[in-house]
Amino acid sequence: MPDEKQAMTIAEMQRTVDEYIGQFKEGYFSPLALMARLTEEAGELAREVNHYYGEKPKRKDEAENTIDMELADCLFILVCFANSLNINLEKAFHAMMHKFNTRDKDRWTKIDTE
Ligand SMILES: [Mg+2]
C-alpha cells in the first residue's frame, strides 16, 4: 500500500479501498445503498459549501468539517461503487476525458496561449 504522502493512481486508490472493505464481512453495499450513501455525502458536501461560500452559517454546536473531507467522502463512495461493480475507474476516466476532448472540444472558450 502506498504511504499517504505519495501520489496515488486511481488503480491504487481502488486497491486501497478494496483492501479496506475486504477486512469486513459486510463487504460492499448494494448499488442502491451506495447511491443513497453518495447522496448523503453530496448533501454533507453541499452543507460545507453553503457554510463557507453561502448564506447559511453553521450553528455553534455543529461539527467543523471541511470541503476537503466531504469531497474525499464522496470519492470514497465513488470508488466503492466502482469496485463493487468491477468497474476500472482509470479506464472510465480516460473514456470520459476522450469524450470531452472530442465531442465537446469546441464547447468552451479556449484561453489564448499565444
Ligand atoms: Mg461526510
Side-chain angles (χ1 to χ4, degrees), residues 37 40-41 44-45 65 69-70 73-74:
R37 284 286 295 118
E40 275 180 45
E41 292 302 342
E44 290 174 13
L45 174 62
N65 287 326
M69 285 306 293
E70 295 305 344
D73 285 348
C74 291

Side-chain angles (χ1 to χ4, degrees), residues 88-103:
N88 179 328
L89 266 183
E90 216 153 60
K91 222 168 132 185
F93 182 81
H94 285 301
M96 182 272 301
M97 286 308 296
H98 178 73
K99 184 180 69 181
F100 282 169
N101 289 321
T102 52
R103 185 194 70 185

Side-chain angles (χ1 to χ4, degrees), residues 2 13 20 24 53-54 61 73 85 99-100:
M13 207 179 284
Y20 173 75
F24 309 113
Y53 300 106
D61 60 334
D73 285 348
L85 298 174
K99 184 180 69 181
F100 282 169

